[in-house]
Every structure is written in structure tokens, then in C-alpha cells.
Amino acid sequence: LVPTTILALQHYQTFSQRMKDFGVAIEYLTRFKSAKQKRAILEKLADGKIDIIIGTHALLSKDVRFHDLGLLIIDEEQKFGVVAKEKIRQLKVNVDTLTMTATPIPRTLKFSLLGARDLSVINTPPPNRQPIHTERRTFSTEFIREAIYYEIHRGGQVFFVHNRIQTLPAIVQLLQRLCPDLHIASAHGQMPAQDIEHTMRLFIEGQIDVLVSTNIIETGLDIPNANTIFINDAHLYGLSDLHQLRGRVGRSNRKAFCYLLTPPHTPLTENAIKRLRTVEEFSELGSGIHIALRDLHIRGAGNLLGSEQSGFINNLGFETYQRILDEAIRELKEVEFKDLFKEQLQRPSYRYIYEVSMELGEEMYIPDDYVRSQRERMNLYTRLNSIRTEAGLQRFAEELRDRFGPLPPPVERLLDTMRIKWICQKLAFERIILKDNTLKIHLPENPSNPYYDSPLFQKLLQYIHSHPQQCQLKQSTRRLSLLINGIRDILDVKLQLSDLQSSLIHEEPQSATL
């Protein structure tokens, strides 16, 4: 079972070649097949005349019947949703199942670490494989042209990933102008099936020099001759996506290159910078599990994961267990028993949201030249994320000054973002965005959130009414947003939100345990 038609076709070709001397009947089932071909395949499958069937989600449809299903292999498991996985379980109760992925999603990895599933990690790469050189670069036509010709002159091919179908032709035209003597083609998921198949066959056969595509090439594609990949607007991708796309190159004994392109003159968010740096740092072969573990750790799995632990709470991590329990209790209070807990829900100290998203347009991180050890930087990030009070933050800053010297501006901004985050949690601001000297604040998206019946929301409305020149309330189809004008930088954001907190909650923001 595979997530894309291209991968199904490639697996079919690989299986057919490797099994040709064993008398094994192999077929594949995708939307490339006609209705007549599909009926014939399904009949053979039900009669037991097919030994190995390779397919996409089509294998999960109701009209598929297996004669005697003994082994289910799921490739690129992270691409299948919960609904698909429930259908897989219904295929057969006791079927042996093998799921394969370079970057398991946190939920799947958690199950394995808890012992609910067996986990095997393949750390040994195939012979003569080399690590993929991964580099973040600003979009530059001169650099792109040089890198493409470098790959072509050594007999290779190039991927250029641009995940916007509307502007894909413009990228093809740009590359054709830069490299007029090369054969450049494009592929995306909205193309007719036969066109995708034809384009991919030409690329696999080496008749196309540069393939410009969306991220449909992400899952499992194996083309050993393609050893340079450009990922345009790399800051918009997740960790798993970046690692999977990088894995499309470096599948032979040649040195491979992955270039993460970001637009010039565009400030990146803190999370985007972290993602790109993580992909750059973990470029060694077999590093997917480390990226997945980092992702799992960031999302709250804690430091207690390990084979020597036992028991549900110990394996999962006490903090994460407490957080899951707290979220479940909050949901019950706010939905099913909101009348019973009405008084508690309206207290100023009640937290109406859990997570806060911030896009402040400035770099906020611990620089490499300030703390040189990557492991130590990760430890500091983890400690910083666990701090809940201003006093704790001050002690953390003093320790940094004592160990590493005066705080550079990105670290000062990083500490200020923690203060901003605490205020947002208290004021129920789910997301804040600073752009063009305007601070946009998203209030809770769920209209049934008890926040909208609380005195805190009423006080916010009064504050907006008393500051008409500076504040404006906007209603969109999904949520309410507050716009505050005249906010230039992170310091302004902190001062403005501190003033808001003082007006709405009537307490000094740095005096309470947050």
C-alpha cells in the first residue's frame, strides 16, 4: 500500500524485475488503470491468482476482496490518515503488518516507543552511499544556473520542487531561459494520469534533464541518476516534508546536493528557521529517526523516553501525560459541564487557550557563534520552554551571561517572546502577527469557547471602545481579530500587551506565576 500513483508504478517495476525468476504474479492498482483493467485485477485478486498486489488508496475500497491476505506492507505510512488506517485494520484481523517510513509521525513513533508496536531502525545505509550536502540559500538565478549545470555536466539530473501549481509554468519558463539547451518538464497532481506517467517515464529514462514539480515526488521515488534537488520556498514546509524531499536524491554512490531556497528580503518565522536548521544539521544518512524524535520531543514527549523505562506515564513522559489529561478535563468543563463550572470558567485566572502561535518578523534564536554546541543549544531551548515565571526567566538570562557572555539581540528577543507568550495565554490570544506596523491578534476560533461569555472578553471590548484610534475589531468568516496600529517591533508588542494585561486583569504581568 503506497500513497501515490507514481510510487505504485515504480514499486511494480522494481518488484517485477526482482521477482521475475520466481514465478510470482504481480499487479498494481491505481487510477492509471482503466475500469476494465481494474475489474480483471480484482477478479484475479479474489481468486488468488495474484501473489503481490501494489496499489494506492484504491486497495482500501469496498470492492477489493483478498483470497488469503497474509502480509500487509504500508510504505510511507506518515502519508495515510486515521480514516485510512482504520480501513487497513478492517482488511483482516490477524494480518501481519509492516509499516515503513523515514520520518514517523509523532503519534506512530509514540506507539512504538510505548511498546504497542515493534520498532526496527535501519541505520546502515547501502554500500557507497554518501551524506546529502544540505544548504540553505537565498533564491538566486545565477546560483541556480550554476548548480544545475554542475549536475548536468557530471551526467546527472535535477529536481526543482515548487509547490504552487498556478506558478509552476513561470518557474519552467525561468529555468528554460537560464538553461536554454536543457530539456525541462513539469509534473503536478492535477495533470491527467497518462501525462504524469509519460513525464515520469521520460525522467526515469534520462530524457528529461530538469523536472519541475510540486511535492508529488516526495514519497519514495527512486531515481538514482537525479542527485541535485532545489526546494523552493523551503520555509513553508514541515520537517518531515523537507527530509522526505531531500531523500529523492543521494540514492546512488554519487555525492548529492539539496538546496533549501528561501525568498530574499523576507523575514522568516522562528519556527521556520528552526526547521531549516534542523534539516541542515541532520544531513547524515539514517537521520530521519533523529528528526522524528526531535519533532516528538518538541511536541511534548519529554526526556523520559527510553527502553529502560516502564509504565505508561514513565514511557510517555509525565509532563505530556499531565497535559493530555488537562486538555481532556478542560474540554469536559467547557462543553459538557459548562453550566456546572460556570463560575470557574469566568475567573480571571482561567486559561481559555493552550497554544499560542507568534509571527513577529524578527529572528529569535540562540546563535551558533554564541553557544557553539548544538546539543547544548537544544538543552537550552528545552529548559527555556519549561520556564513559567519572570523570576525563572531572569535566572536563565543570568546563567547565559555568566556562561557565554552578554546576550546577543536574537537571544534578547527570544526571551521577550516568552513574556509575550505568557501574556497571550492569559488574555486568550491564540495567534499574533506583526506586519506593516500593525499587530493582528486572533481571538479563540471556537465560537463556543467560554471566553466569549467571560468578563475578560467584555473588558477587551471596553478597551477597544476607549482606544478607537489605535484598536479595531474585525470579524472574518472563521474568527474575531483585533488590530492594533503603531506597533513596530517585538519590544512594542511586549509593551502593548503588558498594557492590555494591566487594563484587563489589573495585575502586574511579571508578579504572578504564569
Side-chain angles (χ1 to χ4, degrees):
L1 185 68
V2 297
T4 65
T5 53
I6 295 173
L7 187 54
L9 174 63
Q10 189 156 41
H11 273 319
Y12 172 72
Q13 294 171 341
T14 304
F15 270 74
S16 299
Q17 181 181 358
R18 293 183 179 179
M19 300 286 188
K20 62 183 179 182
D21 298 329
F22 294 91
V24 177
I26 304 172
E27 266 295 353
Y28 74 101
L29 187 65
T30 67
R31 60 190 176 94
F32 288 162
K33 297 286 188 180
S34 65
K36 182 178 179 181
Q37 289 174 320
K38 287 181 180 178
R39 282 195 300 269
I41 291 173
L42 293 177
E43 288 177 6
K44 290 181 181 178
L45 192 62
D47 295 338
K49 296 178 181 179
I50 295 176
D51 300 306
I52 300 175
I53 181 73
I54 301 163
T56 57
H57 291 76
L59 284 178
L60 303 176
S61 58
K62 294 180 180 179
D63 54 350
V64 176
R65 291 185 296 111
F66 295 92
H67 178 70
D68 182 18
L69 181 62
L71 175 64
L72 171 66
I73 301 175
I74 308 169
D75 196 11
E76 304 293 350
E77 182 259 358
Q78 82 279 0
K79 287 296 179 182
F80 290 92
V82 174
V83 175
K85 290 171 185 174
E86 288 300 321
K87 287 185 178 179
I88 292 170
R89 291 192 184 97
Q90 296 169 8
L91 291 177
K92 190 175 179 182
V93 176
N94 61 342
V95 64
D96 292 326
T97 304
L98 172 66
T99 60
M100 301 187 297
T101 173
T103 51
I105 59 175
R107 181 173 177 267
T108 302
L109 185 58
K110 180 186 73 177
F111 283 150
S112 299
L113 293 168
L114 288 172
R117 294 181 181 178
D118 292 330
L119 173 67
S120 298
V121 180
I122 302 175
N123 281 324
T124 307
N128 301 321
R129 288 280 178 92
Q130 300 183 46
I132 301 168
H133 176 80
T134 307
E135 188 177 342
R136 173 185 160 195
R137 300 292 294 248
T138 302
F139 191 98
S140 163
T141 54
E142 183 178 347
F143 169 73
I144 292 171
R145 182 180 182 278
E146 290 178 1
I148 289 176
Y149 274 118
Y150 175 81
E151 183 61 50
I152 298 300
H153 288 159
R154 64 175 186 161
Q157 294 165 274
V158 177
F159 287 115
F160 194 103
V161 180
H162 179 77
N163 209 28
R164 293 284 185 275
I165 293 178
Q166 295 84 352
T167 52
L168 209 62
I171 295 293
V172 174
Q173 293 174 6
L174 172 65
L175 296 180
Q176 199 68 73
R177 287 198 302 270
L178 295 175
C179 311
D181 56 326
L182 300 185
H183 186 189
I184 300 173
S186 64
H188 58 79
Q190 294 182 12
M191 291 171 59
Q194 59 271 21
D195 291 352
I196 296 178
E197 185 176 10
H198 177 68
T199 301
M200 295 311 301
R201 284 186 183 276
L202 290 179
F203 190 67
I204 291 170
E205 293 167 1
Q207 298 183 41
I208 294 174
D209 298 309
V210 181
L211 179 66
V212 183
S213 77
T214 57
N215 64 350
I216 61 168
I217 66 165
E218 175 185 334
T219 47
L221 207 61
D222 186 9
I223 303 177
N225 197 46
N227 283 298
T228 293
I229 184 169
F230 297 91
I231 305 175
N232 195 26
D233 291 330
H235 61 294
L236 301 178
Y237 292 81
L239 266 179
S240 176
D241 293 331
L242 290 172
H243 183 67
Q244 292 283 352
L245 285 168
R246 177 173 62 181
R248 297 316 101 220
V249 296
R251 307 182 76 86
S252 66
N253 58 359
R254 285 186 178 181
K255 181 70 175 176
F257 299 89
C258 173
Y259 298 110
L260 309 172
L261 302 181
T262 56
H265 314 303
T266 300
L268 305 183
T269 65
E270 179 186 3
N271 285 338
I273 293 171
K274 284 184 180 179
R275 289 196 300 269
L276 296 177
R277 284 187 173 160
T278 298
V279 174
E280 280 187 288
E281 289 171 7
F282 290 110
S283 61
E284 294 297 317
L285 297 169
S287 59
I289 186 66
H290 301 296
I291 290 176
L293 284 168
R294 173 75 63 83
D295 194 20
L296 182 61
H297 181 81
I298 291 171
R299 295 192 191 190
N303 290 325
L304 299 179
L305 296 165
S307 58
E308 73 280 359
Q309 308 295 338
S310 61
F312 176 73
I313 296 177
N314 285 339
N315 275 310
L316 180 61
F318 184 73
E319 290 182 6
T320 306
Y321 173 77
Q322 288 285 67
R323 177 169 171 176
I324 293 172
L325 188 63
D326 185 46
E327 286 181 351
I329 293 172
R330 286 165 60 89
E331 186 176 349
L332 288 171
K333 286 181 178 179
E334 294 173 1
V335 180
E336 294 191 32
F337 303 103
K338 61 181 180 182
D339 294 333
L340 187 61
F341 292 95
K342 183 177 181 181
E343 182 180 342
Q344 182 180 343
L345 295 177
Q346 293 184 349
R347 289 177 185 169
S349 60
Y350 187 77
R351 299 290 181 267
Y352 298 99
I353 62 167
Y354 221 98
E355 294 293 338
V356 178
S357 173
M358 295 183 287
E359 298 178 24
L360 301 178
E362 294 186 63
E363 291 188 334
M364 302 160 285
Y365 63 99
I366 301 175
D368 297 357
D369 54 0
Y370 185 62
V371 179
R372 298 191 179 277
S373 168
Q374 184 262 337
R375 181 185 295 274
E376 184 59 34
R377 288 198 304 276
M378 285 308 304
N379 289 336
L380 291 173
Y381 282 128
T382 303
R383 286 180 52 199
L384 179 62
N385 193 50
S386 66
I387 296 174
R388 295 291 180 269
T389 66
E390 177 62 27
L393 199 62
Q394 292 288 357
R395 286 194 296 270
F396 181 80
E398 285 302 320
E399 180 185 335
L400 289 182
R401 293 189 187 95
D402 183 52
R403 294 176 59 190
F404 306 106
L407 302 183
V411 176
E412 294 277 14
R413 290 192 289 265
L414 183 62
L415 299 182
D416 277 340
T417 58
M418 290 298 296
R419 299 180 174 102
I420 292 170
K421 176 183 175 182
W422 297 338
I423 298 174
C424 289
Q425 287 175 330
K426 297 190 75 172
L427 300 182
F429 295 163
E430 280 191 339
R431 187 181 182 191
I432 61 172
I433 304 169
L434 179 60
K435 189 175 181 181
D436 299 330
N437 289 344
T438 300
L439 181 65
K440 186 175 185 179
I441 299 172
H442 288 175
L443 301 181
E445 182 176 359
N446 185 1
S448 62
N449 192 308
Y451 166 73
Y452 292 110
D453 296 324
S454 70
L456 182 62
F457 180 60
Q458 299 304 318
K459 290 179 181 179
L460 178 65
L461 295 179
Q462 294 172 11
Y463 184 92
I464 296 170
H465 182 71
S466 61
H467 297 76
Q469 300 298 324
Q470 188 183 18
C471 302
Q472 184 181 6
L473 197 64
K474 287 267 187 177
Q475 171 76 60
S476 67
T477 54
R478 295 181 59 188
R479 64 165 79 238
L480 277 174
S481 298
L482 169 63
L483 303 182
I484 302 179
N485 302 318
I487 309 298
R488 297 165 299 176
D489 52 26
I490 290 179
L491 184 59
D492 280 356
V493 173
K494 185 180 73 169
L495 294 174
Q496 177 62 51
L497 292 184
S498 297
D499 178 63
L500 253 177
Q501 177 174 307
S502 299
S503 301
L504 303 186
I505 302 181
H506 302 297
E507 68 177 19
E508 290 300 323
Q510 299 179 1
S511 64
T513 299
L514 301 174

